[in-house]
Amino acid sequence: MANNDLAFRFTEEKYASKSEVMKDLNTSLVDNIWANIIAYRKQYNIGLGLHSFSKGEYVLCNCQFIISKNAQAEMKLLRVMREVSALADDEYDGLEILSYQSLLKSVAKNNNLDDSDIRMRNVLKGDVHFFDETSKILPRYLDALQFIKESYVRSIDINFINEVHGILVDDKASSFRSKEDSSQANRVVIDRIYTAAPVNLIESLMEDLCNFINNSTVSPIIKAYIAYYYLVMVKPYSKYSEETAALLAKAIIARESMGAMACILPLEHLLVDSEADLVKLYNNTQRYNDLTYFVRYGLDFNENVINQLIDHIVSYKTQMIKEEFYAPDVETPVEEPVEEAKPEPVHPSAQETKEEKVEQPQLAPATPAQREDKRIVINEEKEEQRLEEIAISYIPRGLDEAEARRLEVHLLELDPSLKKGEARFYARHCTLGKMYTIQQFKQANRCAYETARTGMEHLVELGYYRKEQIKNKFVYTPINRR
């Protein structure tokens, strides 16, 4: 019974190696305990069709912990997809820039390059004419991400992986390395831990990897981390194998789960995670032919990655709200009816003073009709004086407020799918040829930006507006509905 408890403990609570069991129990006499642990794990082991360098087959212990952890990861991934899908195109572009800047830093660190914010902004702007050959991995990495966004629906085979690597090295004829890895670890005879696959095994191991990617039924997240580990361990290229592995992991998640938005996942942080911890994981995985060691690490890492992406989304939305809140009010085209100025009651003494200022001769008391005519003349003079100060001689006059209210009620009665705020805005912003913005809807209805964006998009769906893009800004112009 005690041995079964230990088997559960060192599998579900902590996926321990034999040496870790010895350390935790403070004894070297663990052969029976280790045998029970292995027997417990075999109940959950599944074959993956991936072979180690010593011809053994890797397994995955799909135990209760892995199932639970993977379910949590998929739920968080769904949340990210909902959050990102709700963003407008320009908002998504802003989030993409923020994410790319973060992940490019990891690529730069992995290659001992300058990872300053200024350098990352230069890469994102395409201002890389002064980059040396080593630094060009950064703009090429962006090109590889764009390739995945456009090609993730393709079947992932050796040609696909070579194309991704070819972008990084700027060589369309990318091929596997032809020289053995020079690490001393590869020369050990007993209990050898490889740092790269022997050259003669690379092609067959890569075929195993592609078969696994296309045929395995494990979840996309687990598959992505297994593929990352396997490509890093095979090390099929003389350089940039790790970067290719990160891009391959994204391609898998994009193809099977998230689509193009998988490119903003900062999986590149794997490249610069604690080297000592990763070496230990790689060694345990290779020694026992058990990918569960790395998968557990990957699921924990994935949780941090998704949390970071959620933080990026929240941070970006907060920034947008602040910019909108503190932005100075911009005068928009006149939509509200211009009401004629109503004459203020004039005290007789004030009228006399006013007449003295304009040096008009005193006349006999005017009749009401004459006073009316006089007011009109004054308004026209003011109108002419105001028009002299602007560059346009025609000021459009829309519906007056009473007409706008009647149109609002008419719209709501005619189209029950319209919301009140949408009808209110359209009734006052329906002049053909004009272009309106989400910001105007937000100000008119005093609502949040997301509510305004949703309202305008709904009006587009219903055929009230046509959505157009001017540079990086969306505008909405009324459609003739007569």
Side-chain angles (χ1 to χ4, degrees), residues 223-232 242 245-246 249 270-271 282 294:
K223 185 182 292 186
Y225 283 102
I226 289 176
Y228 175 87
Y229 163 83
Y230 203 72
L231 193 61
V232 169
E242 291 180 333
L270 275 168
L271 304 174
Y282 291 149
F294 190 80

Side-chain angles (χ1 to χ4, degrees), residues 174-189:
S174 174
S175 58
F176 300 142
R177 60 183 168 84
S178 57
K179 295 182 180 180
E180 298 289 357
D181 187 68
S182 58
S183 173
Q184 293 291 331
N186 292 326
R187 301 179 184 179
V188 176
V189 177

Side-chain angles (χ1 to χ4, degrees), residues 237-457:
Y237 307 106
S238 56
K239 61 179 180 178
Y240 304 141
S241 289
E242 291 180 333
E243 287 80 3
T244 306
L247 290 164
L248 176 60
K250 288 189 172 188
I252 292 169
I253 295 176
R255 181 171 176 255
E256 300 194 15
S257 178
M258 291 185 72
M261 67 176 68
C263 289
I264 64 177
L265 288 173
L267 301 182
E268 289 74 10
H269 297 343
L270 275 168
L271 304 174
V272 293
D273 212 6
S274 174
E275 186 174 349
D277 291 341
L278 285 176
V279 168
K280 184 178 178 181
L281 285 166
Y282 291 149
N283 290 348
N284 284 337
T285 300
Q286 194 176 146
R287 180 175 287 113
Y288 300 108
N289 282 351
D290 189 348
L291 283 161
T292 317
Y293 290 99
F294 190 80
V295 167
R296 283 184 69 121
Y297 161 81
L299 290 172
D300 288 335
F301 176 86
N302 192 75
E303 184 176 1
N304 294 332
V305 162
I306 295 178
N307 286 339
Q308 182 179 1
L309 184 55
I310 291 173
D311 289 342
H312 280 166
I313 295 171
V314 172
S315 174
Y316 183 73
K317 283 186 174 181
T318 303
Q319 179 184 343
M320 292 288 293
I321 291 171
K322 284 181 178 179
E323 288 177 359
E324 290 175 10
F325 184 80
Y326 291 109
D329 291 336
V330 180
E331 291 188 3
T332 56
V334 179
E335 301 300 335
E336 301 295 334
V338 180
E339 296 182 1
E340 293 187 1
K342 294 182 179 180
E344 297 182 359
V346 181
H347 193 274
S349 58
Q351 184 174 356
E352 290 175 5
T353 306
K354 186 173 183 180
E355 289 174 352
E356 288 175 4
K357 285 184 180 180
V358 297
E359 297 182 356
Q360 290 183 353
Q362 291 187 1
L363 301 174
T367 64
Q370 290 173 328
R371 280 198 294 271
E372 176 111 14
D373 292 338
K374 186 174 182 179
R375 284 198 298 272
I376 294 173
V377 170
I378 292 173
N379 282 339
E380 288 176 353
E381 290 175 354
K382 288 182 180 180
E383 182 84 8
E384 291 174 0
Q385 183 178 359
R386 177 161 59 88
L387 291 176
E388 289 174 356
E389 297 175 356
I390 62 176
I392 187 169
S393 59
Y394 169 69
I395 299 179
R397 298 180 184 274
L399 302 176
D400 61 30
E401 184 59 25
E403 291 172 329
R405 285 176 183 169
R406 286 198 297 272
L407 176 56
E408 177 185 337
V409 173
H410 173 72
L411 289 169
L412 290 172
E413 293 174 348
L414 191 66
D415 189 348
S417 61
L418 270 180
K419 295 181 180 178
K420 188 173 182 181
E422 296 166 357
R424 182 190 303 115
F425 180 81
Y426 182 80
R428 293 160 179 81
H429 300 80
C430 55
T431 304
L432 291 175
K434 289 198 174 181
M435 298 179 181
Y436 306 105
T437 65
I438 296 173
Q439 184 69 17
Q440 287 177 264
F441 189 104
K442 176 177 177 290
Q443 291 175 349
N445 285 298
R446 297 182 180 180
C447 60
Y449 180 87
E450 181 60 25
T451 304
R453 186 191 70 80
T454 304
M456 291 300 284
E457 292 296 331

Side-chain angles (χ1 to χ4, degrees), residues 68-308:
S68 174
K69 196 76 174 176
N70 181 63
Q72 294 174 21
E74 290 184 339
M75 290 297 292
K76 282 203 169 186
L77 210 58
L78 284 173
R79 178 189 170 187
V80 167
M81 292 171 66
R82 285 197 302 268
E83 294 277 355
V84 173
S85 299
L87 297 175
D89 291 346
D90 53 343
E91 292 175 324
Y92 178 81
D93 291 341
L95 174 65
E96 187 177 61
I97 290 172
L98 189 65
S99 299
Y100 280 4
Q101 185 170 341
S102 173
L103 62 87
L104 282 174
K105 281 178 174 285
S106 295
V107 177
K109 286 179 182 177
N110 192 50
N111 290 277
N112 298 315
L113 301 174
D114 177 12
D115 65 334
S116 64
D117 290 340
I118 294 176
R119 174 59 67 93
M120 298 306 107
R121 284 196 289 269
N122 287 337
V123 176
L124 292 169
K125 290 177 183 176
D127 186 12
V128 296
H129 62 278
F130 56 90
F131 278 25
D132 58 24
E133 186 61 29
T134 306
S135 299
K136 286 181 180 177
I137 178 61
L138 300 177
R140 289 171 185 168
Y141 199 88
L142 281 183
D143 293 339
L145 285 171
Q146 185 62 31
F147 171 78
I148 290 174
K149 286 174 66 175
E150 296 171 354
S151 310
Y152 68 87
V153 294
R154 282 176 49 184
S155 176
I156 298 176
D157 53 17
I158 290 178
N159 289 333
F160 180 91
I161 299 173
N162 280 341
E163 281 185 65
V164 172
H165 180 260
I167 295 172
L168 299 182
V169 296
D170 195 24
D171 182 5
K172 292 183 179 179
S174 174
S175 58
F176 300 142
R177 60 183 168 84
S178 57
K179 295 182 180 180
E180 298 289 357
D181 187 68
S182 58
S183 173
Q184 293 291 331
N186 292 326
R187 301 179 184 179
V188 176
V189 177
I190 300 174
D191 198 21
R192 176 185 296 181
I193 298 296
Y194 291 89
T195 58
V199 170
N200 64 319
L201 294 178
I202 291 177
E203 189 167 355
S204 63
L205 293 172
M206 291 299 290
E207 288 176 355
D208 284 349
L209 176 59
C210 293
N211 288 333
F212 163 74
I213 292 171
N214 292 305
N215 300 318
S216 176
T217 57
V218 299
S219 79
I221 298 172
I222 291 177
K223 185 182 292 186
Y225 283 102
I226 289 176
Y228 175 87
Y229 163 83
Y230 203 72
L231 193 61
V232 169
M233 290 307 301
V234 172
K235 198 177 180 181
Y237 307 106
S238 56
K239 61 179 180 178
Y240 304 141
S241 289
E242 291 180 333
E243 287 80 3
T244 306
L247 290 164
L248 176 60
K250 288 189 172 188
I252 292 169
I253 295 176
R255 181 171 176 255
E256 300 194 15
S257 178
M258 291 185 72
M261 67 176 68
C263 289
I264 64 177
L265 288 173
L267 301 182
E268 289 74 10
H269 297 343
L270 275 168
L271 304 174
V272 293
D273 212 6
S274 174
E275 186 174 349
D277 291 341
L278 285 176
V279 168
K280 184 178 178 181
L281 285 166
Y282 291 149
N283 290 348
N284 284 337
T285 300
Q286 194 176 146
R287 180 175 287 113
Y288 300 108
N289 282 351
D290 189 348
L291 283 161
T292 317
Y293 290 99
F294 190 80
V295 167
R296 283 184 69 121
Y297 161 81
L299 290 172
D300 288 335
F301 176 86
N302 192 75
E303 184 176 1
N304 294 332
V305 162
I306 295 178
N307 286 339
Q308 182 179 1

